[in-house]
Amino acid sequence: MNDRTDEYGGSLQNRCKFALEVVDAVAKEIGPDRVGIRLSPFADYMESGDTNPEALGLYMVESLNKYGILYCHMIEPRMKTVGEIAACSHTLMPMREAFKGTFISAGGFTREDGNEAVAKGRTDLVAYGRWFLANPDLPKRFQLDAPLNKYNRSTFYTSDPVVGYTDYPSLESTA
């Protein structure tokens, strides 16, 4: 919850101001065709939820259009809390329709529902974070419709450079 009372708090425009200032500065420095942003308007991690996530997401993507950035990567509303995929009446479609660049969706997609989301125009691309972590050869597995390694959430965000990051087997090593 943003309870600030300065120029970055209060109104929707003020709550989005800092992120848009960063996008503007980075786009000016390296070019908007090299800039992307990831947004989670529906997330409610560690008290970060917004009272009107639909308006927040829509305002952000419409504002981002002014900068001509390459992509907007958004988290599905069904991913409101860490690790939980829940049925949800919210949708990213208004944001997808409003954003003029490449639209990337993430949030617990399987191979099948990711393909369906692209085929039905709900997104341009699908991100598979946890599945890619656990399956370094994910495109090959998707191509072959091979079984996936299960990811181990307890190894996420640890300081160990191997366990949970480079120790998942590839298809060749499981054959």
Side-chain angles (χ1 to χ4, degrees), residues 66-162:
K66 299 172 193 165
Y67 303 101
I69 65 172
L70 181 61
Y71 71 84
C72 181
H73 176 178
M74 294 193 88
I75 308 305
E76 287 284 336
R78 62 189 182 169
M79 296 298 294
K80 290 181 85 161
T81 59
V82 174
E84 292 181 28
I85 299 175
C88 184
S89 62
H90 302 294
T91 175
L92 295 179
M93 279 308 294
M95 289 143 255
R96 195 277 192 265
E97 291 168 351
F99 187 66
K100 305 297 186 228
T102 299
F103 196 85
I104 305 171
S105 297
F109 283 96
T110 64
R111 174 183 178 265
E112 293 75 23
D113 61 3
N115 284 337
E116 180 181 315
V118 172
K120 291 188 173 182
R122 294 192 310 262
T123 193
D124 294 312
L125 300 167
V126 173
Y128 294 93
R130 292 176 301 256
W131 291 121
F132 239 121
L133 182 65
N135 298 275
D137 51 2
L138 187 66
K140 181 81 165 170
R141 288 175 188 256
F142 277 2
Q143 180 183 24
L144 299 173
D145 201 14
L148 301 178
N149 296 322
K150 301 221 181 301
Y151 52 83
N152 180 354
R153 185 174 299 284
S154 70
T155 63
F156 292 178
Y157 310 111
T158 64
S159 59
D160 192 311
V162 176

